[in-house]
Amino acid sequence: MTPNDETVGPPIDRGDETTSDKDGLALHTKILIGLAVGAIFGIGLNFMTASNPGANAKVMWVAKYITDPVGQVFLRMLFMVVVPLVFASLSVGVAQLGDLKKLGRIGVKTFSYFMLVTALAVMIGLTLVNVVKPGVGFSPEIQSQLMETFGQEAEQKGAQAKSDQGFGINTFVNIVPRNPIDAAARTDMLAVIFFALIFGIALTLIPREKSEPVQKVLEGLGEAIIKIVGMAMQIAPFAVAALIFSTTARFGWSVLQSLLWYAACVVAGLLIHQFAVYSVLVKVFANLNPLVFFRKVTPVMITAFSTSSSNATLPTSIKTAEEELGVPPQIAGFVLPLGATMNMNGTALFEGVTCVFLAQVFGVNLGITEQLIVVVLSVLMAVGTAGVPGGSIPLLMIVLDTIGVPPGGIAIVLGIDRILDMARTVPNVTGDITAACFIARSEGTQLKTGAGASAE
Ligand code: ASP
């Protein structure tokens, strides 16, 4: 008997939208095909029309009037459900855990795991960037060219960083919303999470006959939302193709060429974290075969890669963790919304590498103490980063400022940020699922190790 047996319950039939289709081709295979088709056409047409402005304008027309709208409809379907999903799953998760001691224990384990694994990610990034030194001897001509091209965009991000008021005591005060509806309308996820946690705790403290109907309504809400995600996933193969086409067709490959070593450090770090570190973590802490784990989370990884958004991927993460991996709903409902907002391993790694790279470019010497400050700040900023495309850039500028690197220098990397954003969002969300598996296992749940198996 495991502590969670009484609450796990039978798997809920939500249809098989994310796993298979009538013609037998699994949905995630179709999404992968969409990804490949979008990338091949986007990259191909980008190169073929590079020296032909007329043809290039036609490609941009297709991106603007066909693929952008298709991609946006899909993204909006996912974003549309995030706030109600976080509220419903987190408050029900907390209410179902039932006892505050258990909540405290799971809370401490979850936060400790988030912080330690995020710090580890930054250290991997810092090791790579200190060994490869991509910014040492960086061409001054390319530097000023990039500063000129992306300077204005950098200024806008800087203004956003200023309006975020940096990182200080108010960052913590603002977690408590004055008005939860206003926080929800601004997608201020930390405030929404705070309200949902308090609401869930309150449900456990009032008489059962009063709390039960509310819980039932919230459970129904959660179910309906997961169903909406299932509907959205039906168009995922086309939408993913469209999103990837739009990005790759517009992408400035020549910018990537000049930043090749920097991008290589970021991507190599992300790959090590995603496939080496997470393999060890799921094996050691969740007793899962890494190959099985990665096969099951493939739809989550693809959604993260194509949307560049932890928030947009959250519904798919919850569905996959519960249905494919057997994480109990109350644990998935607690850990995953928190993770989508606070646990960004890929983002922290990217921030660490970018800080040191730009310090190298600007000739700012970062000793061991400064690099430790980079580790701490990258972890904290990753907690505060919004799970949306490019969410980390304004906060990264604050870190740059703190360590004495001109924040406007971010312009140097902005040209390739979209691609790096896609790449870093994958470990961001995969890390949340490893955390949910670890917590589930540590609370006595036997995770699903094979297709359809319910116990080991
Ligand atoms: N796009 C990332 C996410 O949603 C955040 C970032 O690093 O910009 O997880």
Side-chain angles (χ1 to χ4, degrees):
M1 170 90 181
T2 70
N4 294 307
D5 279 351
E6 69 280 12
T7 43
V8 173
I12 303 147
D13 178 20
R14 292 159 172 164
D16 54 356
E17 294 94 337
T18 62
T19 48
S20 62
D21 205 357
K22 287 164 219 80
D23 57 14
L25 203 54
L27 185 63
H28 73 256
T29 311
K30 287 186 182 173
I31 301 177
L32 259 181
I33 295 172
L35 185 93
V37 170
I40 290 169
F41 276 95
I43 297 171
L45 288 174
N46 188 327
F47 277 102
M48 276 156 53
T49 60
S51 51
N52 182 344
N56 189 262
K58 286 194 184 113
V59 175
M60 291 304 120
W61 187 93
V62 171
K64 187 167 175 195
Y65 293 105
I66 298 176
T67 54
D68 281 356
V70 172
Q72 283 304 318
V73 166
F74 175 64
L75 277 180
R76 281 164 178 256
M77 289 272 288
L78 295 177
F79 278 130
M80 166 176 99
V81 297
V82 167
V83 170
L85 178 62
V86 168
F87 177 69
S89 57
L90 202 53
S91 50
V92 170
V94 171
Q96 280 180 350
L97 287 173
D99 122 39
L100 293 187
K101 251 209 231 132
K102 189 170 175 189
L103 175 67
R105 187 179 67 227
I106 291 183
V108 168
K109 278 194 284 191
T110 305
F111 284 109
S112 314
Y113 184 91
F114 284 173
M115 295 304 122
L116 289 175
V117 181
T118 310
L120 178 63
V122 187
M123 286 183 226
I124 293 174
L126 289 191
T127 308
L128 285 168
V129 73
N130 278 299
V131 171
V132 178
K133 295 188 175 44
V136 174
F138 194 74
S139 148
E141 293 87 64
I142 295 178
Q143 182 181 337
S144 49
Q145 212 178 321
L146 290 171
M147 293 285 285
E148 205 176 302
T149 317
F150 298 101
Q152 209 181 345
E153 201 180 324
E155 259 170 46
Q156 284 164 7
K157 303 272 181 194
Q160 197 180 329
K162 284 214 182 78
S163 73
D164 288 349
Q165 293 169 350
F167 192 87
I169 190 69
N170 276 342
T171 313
F172 296 101
V173 175
N174 290 341
I175 291 177
V176 185
R178 272 179 210 272
N179 172 353
I181 311 283
D182 171 59
R186 287 183 292 105
T187 335
D188 179 351
M189 293 319 290
L190 284 180
V192 172
I193 283 175
F194 184 84
F195 181 69
L197 280 175
I198 295 290
F199 190 80
I201 291 173
L203 283 178
T204 65
L205 299 174
I206 60 175
R208 207 185 155 91
E209 71 272 13
K210 300 239 165 76
S211 67
E212 226 166 40
V214 181
Q215 274 195 49
K216 286 265 175 294
V217 168
L218 290 172
E219 275 170 38
L221 181 66
E223 286 297 314
I225 287 168
I226 297 284
K227 198 76 196 170
I228 297 177
V229 177
M231 295 175 196
M233 292 309 280
Q234 291 300 306
I235 63 160
F238 306 100
V240 166
L243 286 167
I244 300 292
F245 176 86
S246 287
T247 309
T248 50
R250 291 200 178 98
F251 190 65
W253 296 99
S254 52
V255 179
L256 179 59
Q257 241 167 25
S258 45
L259 290 164
L260 204 57
W261 286 109
Y262 155 73
C265 285
V266 175
V267 173
L270 294 174
L271 285 172
I272 293 172
H273 197 73
Q274 173 77 13
F275 293 107
V277 174
Y278 289 157
S279 291
V280 174
L281 291 179
V282 294
K283 183 72 209 151
V284 173
F285 290 118
N287 198 22
L288 280 175
N289 177 338
L291 289 178
V292 173
F293 173 81
F294 283 114
R295 187 169 49 72
K296 290 186 173 190
V297 300
T298 302
V300 179
M301 288 164 45
I302 301 170
T303 311
F305 187 74
S306 48
T307 61
S308 295
S309 168
S310 295
N311 283 355
T313 313
L314 178 63
T316 317
S317 310
I318 293 184
K319 193 168 158 62
T320 304
E322 289 179 10
E323 294 177 5
E324 300 293 321
L325 292 156
V327 175
Q330 70 275 23
I331 291 183
F334 178 77
V335 177
L336 295 173
L338 285 179
T341 307
M342 314 180 87
N343 183 42
M344 298 207 178
N345 299 179
T347 293
L349 186 151
F350 156 79
E351 294 196 354
V353 173
T354 307
C355 283
V356 176
F357 166 68
L358 290 177
Q360 291 168 352
V361 171
F362 286 96
V364 177
N365 187 28
L366 297 184
I368 189 83
T369 319
E370 287 84 3
Q371 301 226 11
L372 278 176
I373 294 176
V374 170
V375 174
V376 174
L377 286 181
S378 299
V379 173
L380 289 176
M381 293 300 154
V383 172
T385 293
V388 295
S392 54
I393 300 297
L395 296 181
L396 176 55
M397 293 174 82
I398 297 172
V399 184
L400 289 173
D401 205 16
T402 314
I403 57 168
V405 176
I410 196 75
I412 294 174
V413 301
L414 278 184
I416 57 164
D417 187 55
R418 180 67 203 198
I419 293 278
L420 297 183
D421 197 3
M422 291 160 78
R424 66 186 179 252
T425 307
V426 177
N428 282 355
V429 295
T430 313
D432 303 338
I433 302 190
T434 67
C437 290
F438 155 59
I439 301 293
R441 175 78 188 178
S442 72
E443 292 293 312
T445 301
Q446 302 288 313
L447 295 165
K448 290 183 185 176
T449 52
S454 59
E456 296 178 66

